[in-house]
Amino acid sequence: MSAAPDADEPPSDATTGWRGRLAIDYRRDGERTVSHDLHEGPLRVLQRLYPEGPGICHHVLVHPPGGLVAGDELDVRLQLAPDSHAVLTTPGAARFYRSTGAPAIQQVDARLADGARLEWLPLETIAYRGCQAHNRLRFELAPGAQMLGWDMLALGLPAAGEPFDSGAIEQRLEWPGVWLERGRIAAADSALLQSPLGLAGHGVLATLWWASGSPLSTAQREALLDSARACFVEHPTLAGHAGVSALDGRLVVARVLAHRIEPVFALWRAVREQWRQLGWGLVGEAPRIWRT
């Protein structure tokens, strides 16, 4: 999670890494979702914003160093009390830079109580040439809790002459007992990166999900699926590279492959707008930071 603009890569010979930890507790205070945060190291949260009214708290997470190298660790813990609603995003891409030592690690752990809602909407993660990275997200939902989230990964910066031709990144998405995805993308794995059965030369892969602590009705599940498919069909370039399925009675997952991140971001925003309306009766209010 980065607040820094695009910049040259920092040196990769670090022997000790930065440690950043951030814990945010959300709770309902009357009609308002309020928060308390505790941070350690170079990881911060900006002030609470309420563009949709007092019930939905918007937060922006910032990491002033701008990226992660060997041994760096970012650890975010989110706790949502009953009936709270939080929207979290970042002001820029998370960057895993070239590393020659220990892997850089970014991990997020979210726990939602009954009736809580979380929208986890970070901008993309960029895996630079030569990185050694772990990117992990784990969440737990009590009955009645719901989460809308996404993960967008860009491999290298091919447009800038920096392809992902060395290094590796491990991605992990986990809802214990319901959903686990764990994959390692190594630059040397040409079969994975280039094969039609793998990424087929695409350097951007992304996942979007709707998770519910209680089973979705058939009508709810079909509405989420149909709305996502309608967004895919309408997209001018990604229609043939996106899909959506119901992996469980509590989980709907969409995926897309692309060559650039901008079309993926636009597509995910369109699906989010539809899912918010269908699931919660809310308009697709975008975090203010996306407009700056």
Side-chain angles (χ1 to χ4, degrees):
M1 287 157 284
S2 167
D6 290 343
D8 293 335
E9 296 182 31
S12 62
D13 57 355
T15 56
T16 59
W18 291 81
R19 303 291 189 274
R21 294 181 174 84
L22 175 65
I24 313 177
D25 290 334
Y26 295 94
R27 61 180 176 84
R28 191 82 172 193
D29 184 7
E31 296 298 314
R32 195 175 189 84
T33 294
V34 298
S35 67
H36 174 76
D37 64 90
L38 180 66
H39 69 82
E40 175 186 341
L43 192 57
R44 302 286 191 276
V45 62
L46 299 184
Q47 71 182 79
R48 296 191 297 264
L49 299 172
Y50 296 93
E52 302 182 79
I56 304 176
C57 178
H58 285 230
H59 261 152
V60 178
L61 308 185
V62 295
H63 177 231
L68 292 88
V69 294
D72 287 355
E73 293 183 14
L74 295 184
D75 189 353
V76 178
R77 306 281 168 159
L78 307 174
Q79 191 82 34
L80 281 77
D83 301 319
S84 59
H85 187 159
V87 178
L88 289 100
T89 189
T90 58
R95 293 172 170 82
F96 285 110
Y97 291 120
R98 174 172 48 90
S99 298
T100 58
I105 299 172
Q106 177 174 275
Q107 53 191 12
V108 178
D109 188 282
R111 304 184 182 212
L112 282 66
D114 183 26
R117 295 173 178 173
L118 172 63
E119 297 179 66
W120 175 250
L121 311 172
L123 298 190
E124 72 272 16
T125 296
I126 303 175
Y128 278 68
R129 162 191 282 167
C131 74
Q132 298 294 332
H134 293 172
N135 191 26
R136 304 166 180 163
L137 171 63
R138 181 182 186 276
F139 59 91
E140 296 184 14
L141 305 181
Q146 292 186 323
M147 179 183 183
L148 193 166
W150 66 42
D151 178 89
M152 300 182 289
L153 174 64
L155 301 173
L157 296 172
E162 292 288 334
F164 185 67
D165 54 10
S166 62
I169 181 168
E170 178 187 295
Q171 294 272 99
R172 183 183 181 102
L173 298 171
E174 181 180 9
W175 179 6
V178 180
W179 182 36
L180 173 62
E181 293 196 7
R182 179 179 178 273
R184 183 174 185 271
I185 301 175
D189 190 349
S190 60
L192 171 63
L193 296 179
Q194 302 301 328
S195 168
L197 299 179
L199 303 184
H202 295 89
V204 174
L205 54 153
T207 303
L208 170 70
W209 63 91
W210 179 281
S212 176
S214 300
L216 298 165
S217 69
T218 300
Q220 290 172 322
R221 188 169 63 250
E222 291 301 320
L224 295 171
L225 291 168
D226 289 344
S227 63
R229 289 167 181 152
C231 291
F232 299 163
V233 169
E234 294 173 1
H235 198 279
T237 61
L238 298 180
H241 302 286
V244 62
S245 59
L247 302 183
D248 181 273
R250 295 165 287 174
L251 181 67
V252 175
V253 176
R255 309 179 195 279
V256 67
L257 293 174
H259 294 291
R260 295 186 302 112
I261 197 67
E262 293 82 5
V264 172
F265 185 43
L267 179 60
W268 272 186
R269 287 183 62 173
V271 177
R272 171 186 177 249
E273 183 173 337
Q274 293 296 314
W275 283 5
R276 262 183 143 232
Q277 177 63 43
L278 289 168
W280 298 330
L282 298 172
V283 298
E285 181 71 30
R288 189 176 302 172
I289 194 73
W290 293 353
R291 300 192 293 271
T292 60

